[in-house]
Amino acid sequence: MEVVITASPHAAGQVAADAIQRLLVGSTTPVLGLATGSSPLPIYRELIRRHQERGLSFATTTVFLLDEYVGSGPGRFDANRAFIQRELTAHVDLPRGALHGPDGAISNLDTAGATYELLLSDAGGIDLQILGIGSDGHIGFNEPGSSLASRTRLKTLTTETRNDNARFFGGQAEDVPRHVVTQGIGTVLDARHLILIATGEHKAEPVAKAIEGPVTAMVPASALQLHPHVTAIVDEPAASLLRRSTYYRDAFDHKPEWQHI
Ligand code: F6R
């Protein structure tokens, strides 16, 4: 795993946006996997800026969401889709119909996981997947204890995650849906390149466990250690508990010119 330590969340967003730009420019049919939440916002702001100022185009891109809330009304079973539209896709030239997410409608839960897996494989899999990390170490909404081989399915959120995400639902944890449909850890590991972005001191502990701790279902993000191409982009506060930060900085500073993240 490559670990990139940046001076600010903005700089973290730029490093990730560079990798996405390289994919979009270099592929005729790029497939991008996106996360919601606060962590990727600097990436999305930077991509919008590059689209508006430099013409970075999403015209042939397909986007897949990591996860979706389950619910019975607008604003609940499509909250993550609405989030990505608001924070990114409404501001770039992604074609209509090119944004896909798991189906969180209660009536479709029996088939939602298998349908999404099929959609992903029909698209040829994800080239580059953006991930955040939960304070309990989750990726996607794979809470601690999730099978490291899991596929897209229904999950129940922990109280910790519902508290963390109350800010996206008007501030009340009770208003955060209890259930989600999420790509499994096995599904996430199928993407060809994974970029984990984490910023702020509150992410220092899960980041250290994920990057330097043992691989365990109790820290779902530790499964990233099993993937051959992962880039963890963390700002200094989020990196503060990493024991090998001197090495990570040294390796990044002396990266061969021809080698990109
Ligand atoms: C969101 C997702 C989650 C978040 C994680 C961190 O689609 O999959 O794993 O990435 O909960 O959220 P933030 O970035 O808001 O701290």
Side-chain angles (χ1 to χ4, degrees):
M1 184 183 312
E2 178 174 26
V3 181
V4 182
I5 301 173
T6 64
S8 65
H10 173 71
Q14 285 183 317
V15 174
D18 285 348
I20 294 172
Q21 178 170 334
R22 214 170 296 115
L23 172 70
L24 265 49
V25 170
S27 167
T28 47
T29 52
V31 181
L32 201 51
L34 298 180
T36 59
S38 305
S39 311
L41 291 178
I43 308 176
Y44 302 154
R45 287 192 198 112
E46 181 62 16
L47 290 174
I48 293 168
R49 190 186 71 77
R50 292 183 191 195
H51 170 71
Q52 290 172 346
E53 294 176 13
R54 300 190 206 160
L56 178 66
S57 177
F58 292 71
T60 63
T61 301
T62 305
V63 170
F64 285 94
L65 298 180
L66 258 183
D67 40 36
E68 186 54 273
Y69 290 95
V70 167
S72 54
R76 296 180 75 83
F77 67 82
D78 60 0
N80 281 354
R81 169 181 284 269
F83 180 99
I84 282 292
Q85 284 172 330
R86 187 175 65 244
E87 300 297 343
L88 177 64
T89 59
H91 311 282
V92 298
D93 59 342
L94 187 82
R96 281 175 83 87
L99 170 61
H100 305 285
D103 186 348
I106 285 178
S107 51
N108 298 334
L109 289 182
D110 284 352
T111 52
T115 305
Y116 202 54
E117 290 283 336
L118 206 61
L119 212 57
L120 284 164
S121 69
D122 284 351
I126 291 176
D127 291 310
L128 191 164
Q129 173 70 54
I130 298 295
L131 298 167
I133 184 171
S135 56
D136 61 4
H138 69 224
I139 46 170
F141 279 136
N142 295 283
E143 299 286 30
S146 294
S147 160
L148 301 187
S150 51
R151 310 300 306 185
T152 307
R153 72 224 181 283
L154 181 71
K155 280 297 286 184
T156 304
L157 294 179
T158 59
T159 303
E160 187 175 346
T161 299
R162 290 177 76 219
N163 285 332
D164 286 349
N165 288 5
R167 67 194 193 283
F168 300 121
F169 290 87
Q172 297 300 319
E174 310 88 74
D175 291 335
V176 179
R178 265 179 205 283
H179 297 108
V180 291
V181 179
T182 179
Q183 284 190 35
I185 297 175
T187 317
V188 169
L189 294 179
D190 282 348
R192 289 178 274 281
H193 182 192
L194 300 172
I195 292 186
L196 176 74
I197 181 162
T199 57
E201 204 183 338
H202 62 301
K203 293 295 170 76
E205 198 178 317
V207 161
K209 286 182 178 166
I211 296 175
E212 295 180 338
V215 174
T216 165
M218 295 316 290
V219 182
S222 66
L224 301 184
Q225 295 176 34
L226 300 170
H227 191 283
H229 191 189
V230 177
T231 312
I233 308 174
V234 291
D235 70 354
E236 278 160 11
S240 58
L241 296 178
L242 290 172
R243 280 166 298 165
R244 292 177 59 77
S245 56
T246 307
Y247 170 70
Y248 306 138
R249 288 180 203 278
D250 192 48
F252 188 64
D253 289 346
H254 297 94
K255 208 172 165 62
E257 263 169 43
W258 44 265
Q259 206 183 43
H260 303 295
I261 68 158

